[in-house]
């Protein structure tokens, strides 16, 4: 495949596209306007569900498991089809039309996937919002996407805690114009008493029960948007990344198949939240397009005790398990006996995604969970790439600790040096993609200029990933981390500017800078340096700043450490020198290099005296 892709990329891409069921097959891969599979017509829900009805209508499509052993739900492809049709009919009854945006803010319950597929079925564009976003963050995204309908739940469950979903949506609405959201559909998870506004809010369950369980799929063009997903970059607010239907689905389905060596009867458990791209491509679309059985688990990995996840694997005979280094590090701390108590022999492929995995975590995952006999794939990719780009391939390219190894067939990765020239052989540089691939995002919602500026303009002729990488003598890639100001906390992307902007709005803060430093559990932690406007109130600032970040972005972005300082190291042109802040926050006392370019070189001495709070 690698050879074919190199010799005749178009034929390779067309082969991959033919994995899908098209209502009208495309006649070419990439056209001169940069569009994939133009002329092709299809429906993503048809590909994920309907096409399997004949062959595997009675096979399980979706297993949902809650924290208590008896909280579970199993849907065959036939049952999933009925549920999706019902939900789609409800959306139609609520006035949702093709091309409308539907916001989905749900805990990890089956309805999340059902709602996404229902949108796809009627050609509505889903916008899934991560459960950890604050009300303001949700409001920003709803306004940007101009969503009129929201699907949410009364609460989510995280161990003994109840996460208020509907209340957060209500709070989000206070930041929006009153005519923005017309309908809120509420799934009752625990039947919590939540405020419902007459005429606008409706309980979802009775509507679903009453709705017909059939509905034809609409026909979508290959380049019609399938979904928007907001992600953080190094500047500005989070952006609505737009993924198309034909290219994205081709890529999600192909990569899930090849990277996880998908086989008939596989039970695929990807632990990602549906609100992130991994949830889109590998909880929902990828494995379902391939006729797999997906598992969704609602709850925390170590509740009621740290053996919970391993018991779920044993119970459902999970074959493929895809998770994050953060989760692996947390579970590793519990000791080897915990997973040792479960039968994990069903596992065949293990995957890691979202952040660099250390050698130690890789080896533990391989040895203790994979029992030295599973393939372990460390998969590198991004929201914008739609699916996995660089990864081992079981049985062909075996993983090695911390290496993403080789680009998948057709993916043309390059490393660029400081002047933007391509590096040959063993090298370290900025990771870029030379040729386009079908999974690449179409654009940024209603801002194509920004898409061009962020991803295509930095290195003309290339797609710029924002990551650095090293290539070894075998041509294998080792991701070294972001080269821009994106911080990766437990696999969640946070832009430095996002944090700085919400803090700089505050009247007590004169200036601030946010950076990421290594963290043993989270991978990276956010550290913020603040210059107060009014020194007498400085004591209160750390707590105050944490509240601002939690309220305006979400708890996941709250700084680990805050330094209140009287100045920030700046170049003479006034730019914050984050490199120095990173060193100081990491506890380094020397090796700051040439400080003569700073407007005030003495400021470093004073910063070294500051204590984090
Ligand atoms: C990082 C998640 C090292 C990287 C799918 C990328 C990784 C960002 C890996 C995208 C990996 C993802 N090794 N780093 N295997 N996978 N990353 O958009 O910095 O949430 O740019 O997509 O996560 O995060 P995103």
């Amino acid at each position: 495949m690698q050879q074919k892709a190199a010799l005749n990329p178009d034929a390779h891409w067309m082969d991959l596209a033919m994995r899908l069921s098209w209502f009208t097959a495309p006649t070419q891969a990439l056209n001169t306007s940069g569009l994939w599979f133009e002329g092709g017509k299809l429906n993503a829900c048809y590909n994920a569900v309907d096409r399997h009805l004949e062959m595997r209508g009675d096979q399980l499509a979706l297993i949902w498991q809650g924290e208590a052993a008896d909280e579970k739900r199993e849907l065959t492809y036939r049952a999933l089809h009925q549920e999706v049709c019902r939900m789609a009919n409800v959306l139609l009854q609520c006035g949702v039309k093709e091309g409308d945006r539907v916001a989905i803010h749900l805990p990890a319950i089956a309805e999340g996937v059902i709602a996404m597929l229902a949108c796809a079925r009627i050609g509505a564009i889903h916008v899934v919002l991560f459960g950890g976003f604050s009300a303001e963050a949700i409001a920003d995204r709803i306004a940007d996407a101009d969503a009129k309908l929201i699907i949410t739940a009364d609460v989510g469950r995280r161990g003994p805690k109840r996460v208020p979903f509907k209340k957060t949506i209500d709070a989000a609405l206070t930041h929006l114009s009153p005519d923005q959201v017309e309908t809120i559909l509420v799934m009752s998870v625990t039947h919590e008493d939540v405020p419902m506004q007459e005429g606008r809010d409706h309980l979802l369950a009775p509507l679903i029960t009453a709705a017909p369980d059939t509905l034809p799929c609409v026909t979508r063009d290959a380049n019609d948007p399938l979904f928007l997903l907001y992600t953080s970059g190094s500047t500005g607010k989070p952006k609505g990344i737009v993924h198309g239907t034909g290219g994205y689905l081709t890529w999600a389905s192909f990569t899930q198949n090849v990277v996880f060596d998908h086989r008939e009867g596989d039970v695929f458990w990807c632990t990602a939240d549906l609100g992130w791209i991994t949830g889109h491509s590998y909880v929902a679309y990828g494995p379902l397009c391939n006729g797999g059985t997906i598992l969704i688990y609602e709850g925390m990995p170590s509740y009621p005790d740290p053996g919970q996840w391993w018991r779920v694997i044993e119970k459902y005979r999970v074959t493929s398990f895809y998770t994050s280094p953060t989760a692996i590090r947390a579970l590793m701390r519990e000791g080897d006996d915990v997973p040792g108590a479960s039968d994990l022999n069903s596992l065949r492929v293990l995957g890691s995604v979202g952040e660099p995995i250390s050698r130690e975590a890789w080896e533990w995952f391989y040895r203790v969970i994979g029992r030295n006999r599973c393939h372990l794939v460390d998969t590198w990719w991004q929201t914008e790439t739609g699916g996995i780009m660089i990864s081992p391939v079981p049985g062909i390219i075996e993983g090695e600790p911390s290496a993403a190894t080789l680009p998948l067939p057709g993916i043309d990765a390059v490393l660029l040096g400081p002047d933007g020239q391509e590096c040959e052989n063993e090298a370290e540089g900025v990771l870029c993609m030379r040729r386009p691939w079908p999974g690449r995002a179409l654009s940024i919602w209603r801002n194509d200029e920004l898409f061009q500026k962020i991803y295509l303009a930095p290195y003309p002729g290339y797609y710029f990933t924002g990551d650095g990488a090293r290539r070894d003598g075998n041509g294998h890639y080792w991701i070294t981390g972001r080269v821009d100001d994106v911080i990766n906390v437990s696999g969640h992307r946070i832009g430095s500017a996002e944090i700085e902007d919400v803090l700089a709005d505050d009247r007590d803060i004169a200036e601030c800078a946010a950076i990421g430093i290594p963290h043993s559990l989270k991978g990276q932690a956010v550290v913020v340096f603040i210059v107060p406007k009014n020194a007498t109130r400085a004591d209160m600032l750390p707590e105050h700043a944490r509240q601002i970040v939690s309220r305006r972005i979400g708890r996941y972005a709250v700084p680990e450490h805050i330094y209140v300082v009287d100045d920030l190291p700046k170049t003479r042109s006034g730019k914050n020198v984050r490199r120095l802040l990173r060193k100081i926050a990491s506890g380094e006392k020397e090796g700051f290099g040439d400080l003569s370019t700073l407007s005030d070189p003495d400021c470093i001495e004073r910063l070294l005296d500051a204590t984090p709070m």
Side-chain angles (χ1 to χ4, degrees):
M1 200 183 275
Q2 194 71 269
Q3 269 174 12
K4 179 167 185 186
L7 289 174
N8 189 347
D10 279 5
H12 167 67
W13 301 127
M14 287 300 277
D15 280 357
L16 299 194
M18 289 310 131
R19 305 175 49 77
L20 302 179
S21 301
W22 297 82
F23 300 146
T24 306
T27 50
Q28 59 174 328
L30 183 67
N31 74 5
T32 46
S33 334
L35 293 172
W36 284 94
F37 309 129
E38 259 300 88
K41 294 187 188 299
L42 77 167
N43 181 288
C45 179
Y46 184 91
N47 275 280
V49 184
D50 299 49
R51 73 193 310 213
H52 304 305
L53 290 177
E54 201 178 323
M55 285 275 293
R56 43 175 82 93
D58 297 322
Q59 182 206 301
L60 284 184
L62 187 157
I63 300 167
W64 173 83
Q65 175 68 55
E67 278 170 350
D70 60 347
E71 283 171 351
K72 57 177 189 160
R73 193 172 169 197
E74 296 185 340
L75 295 174
T76 60
Y77 270 98
R78 204 177 315 288
L80 178 63
H81 178 257
Q82 290 172 345
E83 290 298 308
V84 170
C85 288
R86 285 201 168 104
M87 179 88 84
N89 275 310
V90 171
L91 294 178
L92 290 179
Q93 286 160 18
C94 295
V96 175
K97 304 216 163 34
E98 195 174 338
D100 285 356
R101 276 77 54 212
V102 170
I104 301 175
H105 183 58
L106 286 171
I109 54 177
E111 279 73 15
V113 172
I114 294 170
M116 287 162 72
L117 295 170
C119 288
R121 195 166 191 88
I122 62 171
I125 300 170
H126 55 73
V127 189
V128 185
L129 302 169
F130 171 52
F133 287 147
S134 71
E136 274 187 56
I138 289 172
D140 280 351
R141 289 160 175 82
I142 288 175
D144 186 76
D146 189 15
K148 302 270 179 227
L149 184 141
I150 306 173
I151 303 175
T152 190
D154 48 358
V155 293
R157 292 170 284 203
R158 271 186 79 74
K161 278 198 258 163
R162 295 291 169 264
V163 184
F165 275 75
K166 172 65 163 64
K167 281 191 186 143
T168 305
I169 292 292
D170 286 341
L173 261 53
T174 63
H175 299 280
L176 293 166
S177 96
D179 54 1
Q180 174 65 64
V181 175
E182 292 164 3
T183 312
I184 303 180
L185 301 175
V186 185
M187 197 58 216
S188 301
V189 171
T190 60
H191 300 275
E192 213 93 345
D193 205 8
V194 289
M196 298 286 281
Q197 182 178 308
E198 180 81 33
R200 186 197 64 191
D201 304 351
H202 309 276
L203 288 177
L204 188 50
L207 297 179
I208 288 182
T209 315
D213 64 6
T214 57
L215 180 76
C217 294
V218 302
T219 301
R220 298 285 278 164
D221 284 342
N223 290 291
D224 281 340
L226 177 60
F227 62 85
L228 309 186
L229 189 59
Y230 284 82
T231 191
S232 298
S234 56
T235 54
K237 289 197 173 223
K239 290 133 195 92
I241 297 294
V242 186
H243 274 290
T245 307
Y248 167 80
L249 212 59
T250 297
W251 198 240
S253 122
F254 164 64
T255 52
Q256 195 271 335
N257 188 67
V258 68
V259 173
F260 295 95
D261 180 26
H262 182 78
R263 299 184 193 175
E264 232 14 84
D266 271 4
V267 179
F268 193 83
W269 183 14
C270 167
T271 66
D273 189 285
L274 272 187
W276 305 116
I277 190 69
T278 312
H280 284 58
S281 302
Y282 303 106
V283 173
Y285 288 112
L288 288 176
C289 280
N290 292 322
T293 300
I294 62 171
L295 185 117
I296 297 173
Y297 176 73
E298 184 194 3
M300 296 193 300
S302 39
Y303 185 86
D305 67 75
Q308 184 75 354
W309 273 15
W310 315 126
R311 286 193 296 272
V312 170
I313 291 178
E314 173 175 333
K315 176 171 176 183
Y316 293 107
R317 309 287 305 148
V318 171
T319 56
S320 328
F321 180 59
Y322 194 25
T323 192
S324 67
T326 290
I328 298 167
R329 286 189 295 265
L331 292 161
M332 193 165 96
R333 288 194 171 183
E334 306 292 346
D336 298 5
D337 293 350
V338 178
S342 292
D343 174 1
L344 304 181
N345 279 324
S346 57
L347 287 173
R348 201 180 70 239
V349 186
L350 305 175
S352 168
V353 62
E355 33 167 339
I357 178 167
S358 65
R359 172 174 283 271
E360 194 196 2
W362 193 102
E363 282 171 348
W364 184 84
F365 200 26
Y366 185 81
R367 178 174 56 82
V368 179
I369 306 308
R371 315 263 150 106
N372 295 315
R373 46 158 210 91
C374 292
H375 301 286
L376 200 175
V377 292
D378 174 11
T379 62
W380 175 87
W381 60 294
Q382 315 177 290
T383 304
E384 298 87 337
T385 69
I388 297 167
M389 300 288 281
I390 307 184
S391 170
V393 174
I396 301 176
I397 297 139
E398 290 305 329
E400 54 184 312
S402 313
T405 72
L406 289 174
L408 293 179
I411 296 304
D412 190 16
V414 294
L415 295 178
L416 301 186
D419 320 323
Q421 84 289 5
E422 285 180 21
C423 309
E424 303 291 329
N425 308 321
E426 275 180 65
E428 188 163 338
V430 173
L431 181 64
C432 288
M433 301 296 151
R434 194 162 38 189
R435 262 204 316 260
W437 69 98
R440 199 192 81 189
L442 298 182
S443 191
I444 289 175
W445 181 242
R446 292 183 171 161
N447 199 344
D448 193 54
E449 208 179 304
L450 189 59
F451 184 82
Q452 305 289 328
K453 186 174 155 208
I454 296 177
Y455 303 105
L456 306 174
Y459 297 96
Y462 302 92
Y463 163 87
F464 168 59
T465 65
D467 278 301
R470 182 168 67 77
R471 191 171 45 219
D472 67 18
N474 298 320
H476 287 197
Y477 286 83
W478 303 67
I479 307 299
T480 51
R482 300 289 302 196
V483 295
D484 56 9
D485 295 322
V486 171
I487 308 171
N488 189 329
V489 180
S490 304
H492 303 337
R493 274 165 73 167
I494 306 165
S496 300
E498 218 178 315
I499 297 178
E500 291 164 7
D501 289 351
V502 298
L503 291 177
D505 272 355
D506 189 74
R507 61 187 162 84
D508 289 326
I509 296 175
E511 272 189 283
C512 64
I515 52 157
I517 60 165
H519 185 279
S520 61
L521 206 56
K522 302 177 182 173
Q524 278 192 304
V526 175
V527 176
V528 171
F529 289 79
I530 295 178
V531 180
K533 257 194 195 139
N534 179 346
T536 55
R537 290 170 57 89
D539 283 359
M540 329 231 304
L541 264 188
E543 184 47 35
H544 181 57
R546 287 192 169 93
Q547 278 171 11
I548 295 175
V549 175
S550 169
R551 178 164 50 78
R552 299 199 51 190
I553 302 177
R555 290 249 297 281
Y556 70 104
V558 168
E560 188 82 9
H561 297 302
I562 296 184
Y563 291 80
V564 179
V565 295
D566 62 3
D567 204 1
L568 296 173
K570 288 205 189 62
T571 58
R572 293 213 184 90
S573 56
K575 256 187 92 175
N576 282 338
V577 189
R578 292 167 196 279
R579 173 183 67 85
L580 296 175
L581 293 176
R582 268 185 220 115
K583 277 185 173 286
I584 290 166
S586 309
E588 291 179 36
K589 300 272 178 228
E590 50 200 32
F592 294 107
D594 180 14
L595 300 179
S596 64
T597 54
L598 296 188
S599 59
D600 172 16
D602 295 342
C603 131
I604 296 297
E605 282 303 316
R606 296 198 300 277
L607 279 173
L608 282 171
D609 286 340
T611 2
M613 287 184 265

